[in-house]
């Protein structure tokens, strides 16, 4: 089955700097890659996603890049703000089996 | 449009007991997926229901079972509870099986097994 690895497990950045979180996946058939943000005690919320026919997607301060050959994808957050502090999860899904496999999470702390 | 809701919010059980968790899907959604999230870990896929049929299952034993009702709400049942079953149980609803449809998560049920 699919295995998703996520790094780093914790990340601290100064407010205004950029943050990058990286994930690798094992199943070459995976073709959908969402990123979720989970604040303490709250539900995961989708912040951005990318499909395998696209190499990069951007939404304001958030961008995701995908390298299908290397089987890795990354989340980039620019101009970080205190409200970006949360745990971020990457995930991968194969349209054929609908099973969403999550990474282990990255705890992002923005230092004011 | 109402969001995904789950009940109860918290639950405490003892080893060997059985538990039923409930999920109401978002209006217009016909697919419900269940996940187990242990402390400090990412959610682990348990199974998915689409139009009242199980459509995929993760690496969980048969004592984890589920149902989906005609109104697309869903239940997760766990028999013979073990200490390791202590976790946050999340359900997520989406529309259809086109793949890559956004899954909207509920607030979760925190289960503690003593």
């Amino acid at each position: 089955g699919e295995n998703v690895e996520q790094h780093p497990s914790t990340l601290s950045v100064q407010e205004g700097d950029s943050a990058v979180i990286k994930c690798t996946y094992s199943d070459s058939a995976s073709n959908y890659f969402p990123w979720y943000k989970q604040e303490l005690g709250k539900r995961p919320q989708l912040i951005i996603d990318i499909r395998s026919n696209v190499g990069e997607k951007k939404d304001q301060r958030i961008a995701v890049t995908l390298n299908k050959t290397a089987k890795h994808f990354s989340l980039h957050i620019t101009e970080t703000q205190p409200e970006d502090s949360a745990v971020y999860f990457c995930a991968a899904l194969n349209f054929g089996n609908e099973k969403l496999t999550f990474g282990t999470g990255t705890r992002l702390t923005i230092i004011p | 449009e109402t969001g995904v809701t789950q009940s109860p919010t918290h639950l405490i059980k003892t080893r060997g007991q059985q538990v039923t968790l409930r999920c109401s899907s978002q209006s217009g959604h016909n697919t419900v997926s269940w996940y187990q999230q242990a402390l400090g870990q990412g959610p682990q896929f348990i199974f998915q229901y689409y139009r009242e049929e199980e459509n995929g299952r993760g690496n969980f034993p048969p004592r984890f079972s589920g149902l989906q009702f005609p109104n697309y709400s869903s239940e997760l049942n766990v028999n013979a509870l073990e200490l390791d079953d202590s976790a946050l149980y999340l359900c997520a609803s989406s529309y259809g099986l086109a793949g890559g449809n956004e899954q909207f998560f509920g607030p979760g049920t925190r289960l503690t097994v003593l």
Side-chain angles (χ1 to χ4, degrees):
Chain A
E2 175 67 279
N3 182 49
V4 177
E5 295 190 355
Q6 183 171 348
H7 300 282
S9 56
T10 60
L11 179 62
S12 295
V13 301
Q14 290 291 139
E15 181 178 353
D17 287 351
S18 295
V20 180
I21 302 170
K22 299 182 179 182
C23 289
T24 60
Y25 61 98
S26 61
D27 186 356
S28 57
S30 289
N31 42 24
Y32 174 65
F33 307 92
W35 285 87
Y36 287 86
K37 174 183 180 183
Q38 188 174 29
E39 297 177 66
L40 191 62
K42 296 193 175 180
R43 69 191 77 189
Q45 292 198 304
L46 180 73
I47 56 171
I48 196 166
D49 57 12
I50 191 167
R51 287 168 170 74
S52 58
N53 58 345
V54 176
E56 184 174 358
K57 184 177 178 180
K58 189 173 181 180
D59 182 5
Q60 299 181 15
R61 298 187 296 109
I62 296 173
V64 56
T65 58
L66 171 65
N67 183 328
K68 283 218 74 177
T69 303
K71 291 190 282 188
H72 66 71
F73 56 113
S74 300
L75 177 71
H76 304 252
I77 305 175
T78 59
E79 301 172 16
T80 53
Q81 300 168 4
E83 53 264 38
D84 294 330
S85 293
V87 178
Y88 291 80
F89 293 98
C90 62
L93 180 144
N94 176 345
F95 287 173
N97 63 27
E98 297 288 322
K99 176 184 171 183
L100 194 61
T101 302
F102 284 80
T104 50
T106 297
R107 181 173 298 281
L108 175 64
T109 303
I110 307 302
I111 304 167
Chain B
E1 184 176 282
T2 56
V4 182
T5 60
Q6 291 185 244
S7 63
T9 306
H10 297 87
L11 203 51
I12 299 175
K13 292 284 188 179
T14 55
R15 275 185 303 174
Q17 285 190 312
Q18 178 266 341
V19 68
T20 297
L21 311 182
R22 295 178 175 82
C23 172
S24 290
S25 58
Q26 183 163 311
S27 177
H29 288 180
N30 52 16
T31 304
V32 173
S33 302
W34 285 92
Y35 297 86
Q36 180 195 67
Q37 186 175 24
L39 202 60
Q41 299 294 316
Q44 297 288 313
F45 176 78
I46 302 175
F47 43 56
Q48 181 185 80
Y49 279 85
Y50 169 63
R51 298 176 71 176
E52 302 179 62
E53 297 286 331
E54 185 179 292
N55 180 64
R57 187 180 183 92
N59 297 325
F60 281 82
R63 59 190 184 84
F64 285 78
S65 63
L67 281 174
Q68 187 177 32
F69 299 99
N71 65 355
Y72 304 125
S73 65
S74 178
E75 285 184 355
L76 165 65
N77 299 290
V78 187
N79 293 322
L81 284 167
E82 301 177 0
L83 296 179
D84 284 349
D85 296 334
S86 294
L88 180 68
Y89 287 85
L90 295 161
C91 74
S93 76
S94 56
Y95 178 75
L97 288 178
N101 292 317
E102 181 176 353
Q103 296 192 21
F104 292 83
F105 283 84
T109 293
R110 183 158 299 281
L111 173 64
T112 302
V113 182
L114 302 176

